[in-house]
C-alpha cells in the first residue's frame, strides 16, 4: 500500500474590516453582522465530508487564515476547534496557528486564543511606518502594531511577524528600519516578502508605482544580511526563523504534504491509498456555502502535474530534495524523470547527487524555466 503523507488542516474565514488595495486573497468586507455561528456550523459539516477522504490520518497542523479570522468572537473560534477535535484525531503536539491583525479589539483576545489551544500567532504587521501603512490601506498605525506585538509576547513564545519590502514610496532605510524594529521584539519567526501588485486588485487597476528593481534588490540583500546577523535562519524563499521555530504548517505544503481545506474558497490536496492525488476547491460565494453547497470542484492530479507541483513546492526550500522523498510523495519512480533531470543539470539548474538533487541559485532564479523542462 502507498505510504500516505502527513496531513494538515486549513480553515478559511472570509471576512475583513476593509479590503486592502493589493490583496488578491478571497475575502468579503462585512457591512453587516457576520453570520459567524452559522458559518462555523457549515465549516464543520464541510470538514465531516472531507474527513471521509483521508483514511484515518491524524492532523499534524491547523491554520486558521483569511480574510481576518481574529474578527470572529472567541466563542466562535472555540466552537470551531472543539468541533474539529470531536470529529477527528489530532496529534498531541499539533501546531495551531491563527492569523491576526494589530487592532486593539483583536489583540486583546490573544490570551483567550492561548486558553482554547491556539499555540502560534501570525501577525500581519507589513510595516511599522504609519505613512506607508496608510499608503497600502492598512487599518492600524505603528503604535497599534507595536502594542499587538507586546501583547503577543506576553502569551506566546511562538509568533510570526509578516513584513513586506518594496512598498510604494519605501526607501532602503525604511525597509531596514522595519526589520530592526521587528528584531528588537525577538519574534520566533519573521515572514519577509516582496510587495507585489497582482492582477484583479485595486492597486493593479490604479497602476500603483513601486520602487525600481535595483532598489528592491538592495532591500532584499541588506535585509537578508541583517536577519542572518540577528540569528534568523532562512529556510524558505520568504521565511526566517529561530532554531526549532519553523512553521510546521507551511513546511507541510512545501514538502508536498496533504491538507484538507475547509471554508469558502479553501483548497485541499488529499492523497489516496492507491497513490492518486485529488484536489478540492470550495465555493467562493459565501451564500452558496451557507446554503450547504461546499464543493466547487474536485479533480485527480495527473502524473505530469504531480511532478511540476512537487518541484515547484520543493524549490521554495533551502535544502536538498531527497530522491526517495520524491518517489514517496508522488508514487512515481525517479527513472521516469531521469532525462528531464539531465537537461536541468546541463542548464545548471540542478546538482544531481546519488541520493538527492539540489536546486541551485540559478534554478531558483529561473524556476519557471526549470519547471518547463519537466513538462516534456
Amino acid at each position: 500500500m502507498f505510504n500516505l503523507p502527513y496531513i494538515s488542516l486549513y480553515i478559511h474565514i472570509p471576512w475583513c474590516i476593509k479590503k486592502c488595495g493589493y490583496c488578491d486573497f478571497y475575502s468579503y468586507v462585512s457591512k453587516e453582522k457576520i453570520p459567524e455561528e452559522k458559518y462555523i456550523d457549515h465549516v464543520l459539516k464541510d470538514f465531516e465530508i472531507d474527513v471521509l477522504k483521508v483514511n484515518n490520518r491524524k492532523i499534524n497542523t491547523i491554520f486558521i487564515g483569511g480574510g481576518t479570522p481574529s474578527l470572529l468572537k472567541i466563542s466562535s473560534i472555540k466552537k470551531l476547534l472543539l468541533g474539529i477535535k470531536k470529529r477527528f484525531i489530532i496529534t498531541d503536539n499539533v501546531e495551531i496557528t491563527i492569523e491576526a491583525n494589530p487592532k486593539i479589539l483583536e489583540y486583546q483576545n490573544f490570551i483567550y486564543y492561548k486558553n482554547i489551544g491556539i499555540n502560534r500567532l501570525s501577525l500581519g504587521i507589513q510595516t511599522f511606518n504609519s505613512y506607508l501603512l496608510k499608503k497600502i490601506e492598512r487599518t492600524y498605525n505603528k503604535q497599534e502594531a507595536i502594542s499587538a506585538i507586546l501583547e503577543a509576547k506576553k502569551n506566546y513564545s511562538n509568533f510570526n511577524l509578516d513584513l513586506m519590502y518594496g512598498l510604494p514610496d519605501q526607501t532602503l532605510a525604511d525597509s531596514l528600519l522595519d526589520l530592526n524594529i521587528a528584531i528588537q521584539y525577538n519574534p520566533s519567526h519573521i515572514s519577509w516578502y516582496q510587495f507585489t501588485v497582482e492582477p484583479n486588485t485595486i492597486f493593479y487597476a490604479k497602476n500603483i508605482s513601486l520602487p525600481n528593481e535595483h532598489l528592491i534588490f538592495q532591500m532584499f540583500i541588506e535585509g537578508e544580511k541583517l536577519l542572518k546577523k540577528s540569528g534568523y535562519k532562512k529556510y524558505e524563499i520568504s521565511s526566517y526563523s529561530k532554531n526549532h521555530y519553523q512553521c510546521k504548517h507551511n513546511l507541510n505544503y512545501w514538502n508536498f504534504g496533504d491538507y484538507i481545506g475547509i471554508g469558502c474558497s479553501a483548497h485541499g490536496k488529499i492523497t489516496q491509498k492507491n497513490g492518486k492525488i485529488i484536489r478540492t476547491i470550495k465555493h467562493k460565494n459565501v451564500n452558496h456555502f451557507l446554503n450547504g453547497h461546499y464543493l466547487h470542484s474536485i479533480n485527480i492530479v495527473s502524473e505530469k502535474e504531480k511532478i511540476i507541483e512537487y518541484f515547484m513546492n520543493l524549490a521554495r526550500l533551502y535544502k536538498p530534495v531527497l530522491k526517495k522523498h520524491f518517489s514517496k510523495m508522488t508514487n512515481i519512480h525517479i527513472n521516469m524523470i531521469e532525462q528531464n533531470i539531465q537537461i536541468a543539470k546541463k542548464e545548471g539548474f540542478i546538482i544531481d547527487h546519488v541520493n538527492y538533487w539540489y536546486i541551485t541559485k540559478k534554478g531558483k532564479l529561473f524556476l519557471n524555466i526549470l519547471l518547463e523542462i519537466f513538462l516534456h
Side-chain angles (χ1 to χ4, degrees):
M1 186 184 73
F2 182 72
N3 291 320
L4 295 170
Y6 290 120
I7 192 155
S8 295
L9 172 63
Y10 174 75
I11 306 166
H12 191 74
I13 309 298
W15 291 281
C16 282
I17 295 174
K18 182 181 185 299
K19 182 80 170 179
C20 297
Y22 62 87
C23 179
D24 67 338
F25 289 107
Y26 186 72
S27 61
Y28 281 95
V29 176
S30 181
K31 296 179 181 178
E32 301 174 356
K33 184 180 178 183
I34 296 173
E36 51 188 279
E37 288 193 25
K38 185 177 181 181
Y39 184 73
I40 296 303
D41 287 338
H42 281 282
V43 165
L44 291 173
K45 289 177 182 176
D46 184 18
F47 179 64
E48 287 174 357
I49 295 168
D50 276 3
V51 158
L52 301 175
K53 304 181 181 79
V54 302
N55 297 296
N56 297 318
R57 282 174 281 173
K58 293 182 180 180
I59 289 175
N60 288 269
T61 68
I62 299 173
F63 196 102
I64 307 171
T68 310
S70 49
L71 284 178
L72 298 191
K73 292 180 289 194
I74 294 298
S75 57
S76 296
I77 297 173
K78 182 177 181 180
K79 178 181 177 181
L80 173 63
L81 290 178
L82 286 176
I84 295 296
K85 291 174 182 177
K86 284 179 182 177
R87 291 164 172 81
F88 207 72
I89 300 172
I90 63 175
T91 57
D92 293 335
N93 61 342
V94 62
E95 174 192 270
I96 306 178
T97 303
I98 189 168
E99 290 182 332
N101 280 335
K103 291 294 288 182
I104 293 174
L105 290 177
E106 293 177 41
Y107 69 67
Q108 287 178 339
N109 288 329
F110 290 175
I111 180 63
Y112 301 109
Y113 293 155
K114 185 176 181 180
N115 291 341
I116 60 176
I118 294 171
N119 51 28
R120 185 175 184 272
L121 283 178
S122 184
L123 295 178
I125 303 295
Q126 318 312 353
T127 177
F128 292 98
N129 186 311
S130 291
Y131 165 74
L132 293 178
L133 284 168
K134 190 173 182 180
K135 186 85 176 176
I136 62 171
E137 302 181 353
R138 302 296 283 180
T139 58
Y140 50 88
N141 57 34
K142 175 184 177 180
Q143 189 51 55
E144 286 178 300
I146 291 173
S147 296
I149 294 171
L150 291 173
E151 193 64 26
K153 282 181 68 68
K154 286 181 189 176
N155 302 294
Y156 288 89
S157 58
N158 190 3
F159 68 96
N160 168 65
L161 302 182
D162 270 354
L163 293 172
M164 296 192 291
Y165 64 93
L167 298 168
D169 296 340
Q170 190 179 39
T171 66
L172 174 60
D174 290 334
S175 66
L176 296 179
L177 180 59
D178 279 343
L179 282 176
N180 272 305
I181 293 172
I183 289 166
Q184 81 179 63
Y185 294 105
N186 198 34
S188 56
H189 192 285
I190 294 177
S191 297
W192 189 59
Y193 51 97
Q194 183 182 340
F195 178 84
T196 56
V197 178
E198 301 293 339
N200 303 316
T201 63
I202 296 169
F203 280 10
Y204 186 84
K206 290 181 178 179
N207 196 24
I208 294 293
S209 178
L210 301 178
N212 63 56
E213 290 182 2
H214 176 71
L215 178 53
I216 290 174
F217 186 66
Q218 276 188 299
M219 293 176 183
F220 169 71
I221 294 297
E222 295 302 319
E224 287 226 317
K225 288 179 184 176
L226 177 57
L227 285 161
K228 184 177 181 181
K229 180 182 175 182
S230 304
Y232 291 89
K233 183 178 180 181
K234 183 174 187 176
Y235 67 96
E236 186 268 340
I237 287 174
S238 56
S239 300
Y240 306 78
S241 74
K242 296 291 184 72
N243 286 337
H244 312 300
Y245 283 103
Q246 296 175 338
C247 177
K248 294 178 183 177
H249 186 86
N250 286 342
L251 273 176
N252 188 47
Y253 287 152
W254 300 322
N255 278 299
F256 207 56
D258 278 2
Y259 48 94
I260 300 169
I262 56 176
C264 283
S265 81
H267 289 229
K269 169 186 173 283
I270 306 172
T271 306
Q272 304 300 286
K273 287 183 178 180
N274 60 6
K276 289 187 182 295
I277 294 174
I278 60 172
R279 286 204 175 275
T280 60
I281 302 176
K282 302 304 168 62
H283 265 295
K284 286 185 176 182
N285 188 299
V286 72
N287 292 321
H288 280 3
F289 195 86
L290 292 176
N291 283 320
H293 305 298
Y294 311 134
L295 188 65
H296 176 266
S297 64
I298 183 169
N299 70 288
I300 297 174
V301 180
S302 69
E303 300 287 276
K304 187 179 290 186
E305 288 171 330
K306 279 188 194 179
I307 296 167
I308 295 293
E309 290 181 15
Y310 178 87
F311 281 99
M312 184 168 60
N313 281 283
L314 269 291
R316 295 184 67 99
L317 299 175
Y318 285 79
K319 68 172 189 176
V321 180
L322 297 178
K323 293 180 180 180
K324 64 181 181 181
H325 183 267
F326 169 80
S327 297
K328 176 184 176 183
M329 303 305 283
T330 64
N331 202 29
I332 297 171
H333 196 280
I334 60 170
N335 289 347
M336 295 290 291
I337 60 168
E338 181 59 30
Q339 190 174 359
N340 311 79
I341 291 293
Q342 292 308 312
I343 295 170
K345 179 182 175 182
K346 186 177 179 180
E347 294 292 333
F349 296 150
I350 281 180
I351 297 171
D352 187 11
H353 288 268
V354 175
N355 297 319
Y356 64 86
W357 303 295
Y358 191 85
I359 300 172
T360 63
K361 287 184 179 180
K362 183 180 179 182
K364 291 181 185 296
L365 185 62
F366 296 101
L367 180 59
N368 287 342
I369 300 175
L370 170 59
L371 295 177
E372 283 176 12
I373 291 172
F374 290 104
L375 283 172
H376 306 290

